[in-house]
Amino acid sequence: MDVDTRLLRYFAAVAEEGNLTRAAERLFVSQPALTKQVKQLEAQLGVELFVRSRAGMVPTEAGDALAARIPGLLADWDRALRETRSAASRAARVLRVGFVASAANESTQRIIAAFTGRRPDWRVDLRQTDWSEPSAGLADGRVDVALLRLPFPGQDRSNVAVLLTEPRWVALAESHPLAALARIPFRDLWDEPFVAAPQETGEWRDYWLATDERDGTEPRIGTVTRTTDEWLTAIANGYGVALAPESCARFYPRPGVAYRPVTGVSPSRVAVAWAKDGDPVIADFVRSCLEHRAPSAR
Amino acid sequence: MDVDTRLLRYFAAVAEEGNLTRAAERLFVSQPALTKQVKQLEAQLGVELFVRSRAGMVPTEAGDALAARIPGLLADWDRALRETRSAASRAARVLRVGFVASAANESTQRIIAAFTGRRPDWRVDLRQTDWSEPSAGLADGRVDVALLRLPFPGQDRSNVAVLLTEPRWVALAESHPLAALARIPFRDLWDEPFVAAPQETGEWRDYWLATDERDGTEPRIGTVTRTTDEWLTAIANGYGVALAPESCARFYPRPGVAYRPVTGVSPSRVAVAWAKDGDPVIADFVRSCLEHRAPSAR
DNA sequence: CTGCGTCGATAACCTGACGGCATGGACGTC
DNA sequence: GACGTCCATGCCGTCAGGTTATCGACGCAG
C-alpha cells in the first residue's frame, strides 16, 4: 500500500499537537485540508487513528503505534535522500562546500585555489546560508564540508578543525546610550533586549545570546530574525542589541548600526567541519583550509 | 522532501529491469506514465538517476545508491503498516483469522466455538483467501493467525502446528485417458502439463507441482490460475492436470473434473500458523485448534 | 439564557498531477 | 530501406489536494 511521506508528516503533526487547527498552522495548510488528509489516511489503512472530541484529536492505540514508527521512517528516507545526492556529487567530482554568511572571510578564495591545485579535476560548489542554518547544510547532508562558526547543531556528528578565533563584539543602534563607550563590559548588556536567532537553531542561538556567560540571568529577547538583513534592520530600529564577530563590523556596516568591542565574553571560533566518513577528497579540502588558517589558531 | 512510496516502487522496478517498457508492464502502467514519473523523481531529487541509451535505462551511481536503500525503506513502511493494523484489531478485541480455501474444513466451526469459549469478549474475523495467497495473509500481517497448508511463503518466520494430514490426489479432465484408472502412480503424471499457481507463490507452487518428487524432471506448465474457479475450469477444459488434497474432491466437485488418488507422492499437511510474538490470545486460539485436530496428526 | 470562542466537519470550487493513447525520433538489424 | 525496439512528447480526461466560507457541537462568561 502506497503513502506519501507528506501524509505521514501530517499525521505525525496532528498526533503530536492533539489538535487539528494548530497542526494545520504548523504545517502551513488549512484546517479542512488536514481534516481530509487524516481521514484519507485512515481510509487507506482501514484503521481509526484518532478519537475526535471537543478537546481535540486523541490518537487511538493504532494511532500511537503508527506515530511511534513515523520518525524512524522519515529519518530513513531522509538519509537515503542525502546519500543519493552525495553519491551524485561525488560521481560528478563536485565538492559541495557550505559556509555561513558570517564565517566567509578573505581566505576563502585562497582555500579554494589550494584545493583546486590538489584536485584539478574537481569542481567546488559554494553554498552560502544565512544564520537560520548555522550548520551551513552540513547537518542535513546538503554539503560535504562547511566553513562555519562553533558551536553549531549536529557538531558532535562531525569532525571539526578551528581555523581562527576572533573577539565577539556587540552591534547596537547608533543612538543607543552604550554606543558612546569605546568598549562595553558584557555585564552592562545583560539587561538589554537582544535580537536573537530562531528557537530551532538550538545551541547556536544560545551561544550568540551568551546564555552561559550571564551568571544565570535570563536573556531578554527583543525580536527574532532569520536573515542578515532583517537582523541589521532590527538592530538599527532599536529592537535590541546583538553579539557579533568582530569581522561583522567590516563586512556588514550599516547606517544606524554601531559595532563596539565587548569585554568579558568569550571569543568566537571559525572552523571547517565535515562528516565523519574519511573521504580523501574532503581531507584534501580540510588540508587546504588548515594551510590558510590564521596564526592565532595554530 | 516528500515522496510517494509508489514513486519509489516505480524507480526500483526500472532500476531492476534496466528497461522502461518492461518495468511498465510489470507495474501495470503505460510506458509514458513511467517515463514521466521517473523524470519527476529525478527532478524532485535534483539528481540524474539513469543514463538513457538505446540499450535501456542504466542507473547512475546515484541511482545505484538510491536503489540500494529502497527495499529497506519499503519493508519498514510495510512493517509499520502491519503493526498499526494489528494494534487496531487488538484494541478492538478482534482476532483476525485467515484460512486458505482448501484448508477450510469441518472443524473450523468447532475451533471458533472453542476459542470464543476461552475468550468470550473477543470476536473472530474470518478472512478466506484463494491460493494466490497461500499464507492466507499471515506473511503480510493482515491476519494474526491462519489455517493453511504447508509449506507456505514466510513459513520460517512463523510458528506452525500441524492439524491434519491427508493424501494428495490428482484433478484431471474426465475425458483424460488416465481418469480411467482408480489410482494413478505419480510417475505417470510427470509428463503431463500441469495447471500451476502463479510464479510469485514460490515454494507453494513448487509443492503442488511436486517438483521435488520427480527425480529432477522439469514439470510442464499447461497454464497458470489464481482462483479456485479458474483452476477448475482450466482442468475441465484439459489445459492440464493438478495435484490437490483429497478433501478437494468433496469440496469442489465439478462436472468435467475427475479426482483420483495418486500413489508415490507425499501427503499434504494442514496446519495453524502464527507470528512468533507470543500473544496470549493467539495462544488460546492455537490451543483451540489443537483440541480439534485429527487423530492422525497427534 | 444568550452570545462568543474553539473544536472539527462539510460544501463548492480551482488547479495541477497522473494516467492513458497516439505518435515521434534515434538507432540497430535483417 | 523497411522494421523493431528503445525512450520522449503532446494532448486530453479524471481525480486528488488545496482554498475559502460556513456549519454544528460544545463549553464558558456575562
Side-chain angles (χ1 to χ4, degrees):
Chain A
M1 221 216 47
D2 289 317
V3 241
D4 197 316
T5 54
R6 183 175 38 81
L7 261 182
L8 300 184
R9 288 190 300 106
Y10 282 10
F11 165 78
V14 176
E16 275 173 38
E17 295 282 351
N19 177 308
L20 261 182
T21 314
R22 267 194 299 283
E25 272 168 31
R26 204 173 97 183
L27 296 165
F28 303 106
V29 294
S30 67
Q31 171 262 314
L34 241 197
T35 299
K36 275 201 285 191
Q37 292 302 308
V38 171
K39 287 195 157 191
Q40 188 198 312
L41 182 62
E42 288 180 324
Q44 275 184 30
L45 305 190
V47 165
E48 201 167 311
L49 295 171
F50 294 100
V51 177
R52 277 85 163 161
S53 71
R54 72 205 123 298
M57 311 275 285
V58 181
T60 60
E61 308 193 21
D64 281 331
L66 183 58
R69 289 284 166 197
I70 288 189
L73 291 170
L74 294 180
D76 285 348
W77 162 240
D78 222 56
R79 201 154 54 90
L81 189 60
R82 286 187 277 114
E83 284 176 10
T84 304
R85 292 210 172 108
S86 110
S89 68
R90 200 166 323 152
R93 296 178 183 276
V94 170
L95 186 73
R96 299 166 303 167
V97 179
F99 56 101
V100 289
S102 68
N105 63 43
E106 297 84 350
S107 39
T108 311
Q109 303 297 337
R110 285 194 301 270
I111 290 171
I112 291 167
F115 172 75
T116 310
R118 281 199 168 85
R119 297 274 183 175
D121 51 341
W122 278 65
R123 205 163 59 74
V124 171
D125 229 34
L126 283 179
R127 316 204 175 183
Q128 178 166 357
T129 63
D130 57 45
W131 47 53
S132 66
E133 213 176 356
S135 84
L138 192 68
D140 54 8
R142 288 199 316 221
V143 302
D144 303 304
V145 57
L147 295 166
L148 38 65
R149 288 184 182 272
L150 304 183
F152 65 92
Q155 182 169 344
D156 47 334
R157 294 190 302 278
S158 311
N159 290 315
V160 164
V162 173
L163 298 180
L164 64 92
T165 297
E166 61 176 329
R168 280 193 278 182
W169 286 24
V170 64
L172 31 61
E174 270 173 355
S175 56
H176 194 289
L178 287 171
L181 302 182
R183 30 193 343 107
I184 305 177
F186 185 47
R187 181 69 188 77
D188 293 355
L189 295 171
W190 286 5
D191 294 329
E192 291 294 321
F194 267 64
V195 177
Q199 196 77 52
E200 60 270 21
T201 57
E203 48 183 348
W204 167 269
R205 171 187 164 109
D206 288 337
Y207 178 75
W208 289 102
L209 293 171
T211 313
D212 291 344
E213 306 180 34
R214 292 170 177 264
D215 273 3
T217 320
E218 273 300 298
R220 289 175 57 199
I221 307 301
T223 187
V224 168
T225 62
R226 293 176 181 274
T227 65
T228 317
D229 227 50
E230 270 176 31
W231 183 77
L232 287 165
T233 308
I235 292 169
N237 291 339
Y239 286 104
V241 306
L243 295 176
E246 172 188 4
S247 59
C248 202
R250 294 198 305 280
F251 283 110
Y252 298 109
R254 175 85 144 224
V257 174
Y259 294 94
R260 296 285 178 272
V262 174
T263 56
V265 69
S266 61
S268 165
R269 289 170 300 158
V270 172
V272 56
W274 66 100
K276 294 179 166 165
D277 69 354
D279 184 316
V281 179
I282 295 179
D284 278 345
F285 185 85
V286 172
R287 219 163 285 139
S288 307
C289 290
L290 294 178
E291 282 171 12
H292 294 90
R293 81 184 131 174
S296 62
R298 299 197 192 190
Chain B
M1 220 215 45
D2 289 316
V3 242
D4 196 315
T5 54
R6 183 176 39 82
L7 224 55
L8 299 185
R9 289 190 300 106
Y10 282 10
F11 165 78
V14 175
E16 275 174 38
E17 295 283 351
N19 178 309
L20 260 183
T21 314
R22 269 195 298 283
E25 274 168 30
R26 206 173 96 183
L27 296 166
F28 303 106
V29 295
S30 68
Q31 169 262 314
L34 241 196
T35 299
K36 277 194 282 192
Q37 292 303 309
V38 171
K39 286 195 158 190
Q40 189 198 310
L41 183 61
E42 288 181 322
Q44 275 184 32
L45 305 191
V47 165
E48 202 167 311
L49 296 171
F50 294 100
V51 178
R52 277 84 163 163
S53 70
R54 67 216 119 293
M57 310 275 286
V58 182
T60 59
E61 309 192 21
D64 280 331
L66 183 59
R69 289 285 167 198
I70 288 189
L73 292 170
L74 294 180
D76 285 348
W77 162 240
D78 223 56
R79 203 153 53 90
L81 188 59
R82 287 187 276 114
E83 284 176 10
T84 305
R85 291 210 172 109
S86 110
S89 69
R90 201 165 325 155
R93 296 180 183 277
V94 169
L95 186 72
R96 299 166 303 166
V97 178
F99 55 100
V100 289
S102 67
N105 64 44
E106 298 83 352
S107 38
T108 312
Q109 303 297 336
R110 285 195 300 272
I111 290 171
I112 291 166
F115 171 75
T116 311
R118 280 202 168 83
R119 297 273 182 174
D121 51 340
W122 278 65
R123 206 163 58 73
V124 170
D125 228 35
L126 283 178
R127 316 206 174 180
Q128 180 166 355
T129 62
D130 55 46
W131 47 53
S132 66
E133 213 176 354
S135 83
L138 192 69
D140 54 8
R142 288 199 315 220
V143 302
D144 302 305
V145 56
L147 295 166
L148 38 65
R149 289 183 181 273
L150 304 182
F152 65 93
Q155 182 168 342
D156 47 332
R157 292 191 303 277
S158 311
N159 291 315
V160 164
V162 174
L163 298 179
L164 65 91
T165 297
E166 63 177 329
R168 280 192 278 183
W169 287 25
V170 64
L172 32 60
E174 269 172 357
S175 56
H176 195 288
L178 288 171
L181 303 181
R183 31 193 341 107
I184 304 176
F186 184 48
R187 180 71 188 74
D188 293 356
L189 295 171
W190 286 6
D191 295 329
E192 291 293 322
F194 268 62
V195 178
Q199 195 77 53
E200 60 270 22
T201 57
E203 49 182 347
W204 166 268
R205 170 187 165 109
D206 288 337
Y207 177 76
W208 288 102
L209 293 170
T211 313
D212 292 344
E213 305 180 36
R214 292 169 176 264
D215 274 4
T217 321
E218 272 301 299
R220 289 176 55 201
I221 307 302
T223 187
V224 169
T225 63
R226 294 175 181 274
T227 66
T228 317
D229 227 50
E230 270 176 33
W231 183 79
L232 288 165
T233 308
I235 292 168
N237 291 339
Y239 285 104
V241 305
L243 295 176
E246 174 188 3
S247 58
C248 201
R250 295 198 304 279
F251 284 110
Y252 299 109
R254 175 85 144 224
V257 173
Y259 293 94
R260 297 286 179 270
V262 174
T263 57
V265 70
S266 61
S268 165
R269 289 170 299 159
V270 171
V272 56
W274 65 101
K276 293 178 166 165
D277 70 355
D279 184 316
V281 179
I282 295 180
D284 277 345
F285 185 85
V286 171
R287 219 163 283 140
S288 307
C289 290
L290 293 177
E291 282 171 11
H292 294 90
R293 81 184 131 175
S296 63
R298 301 194 191 194

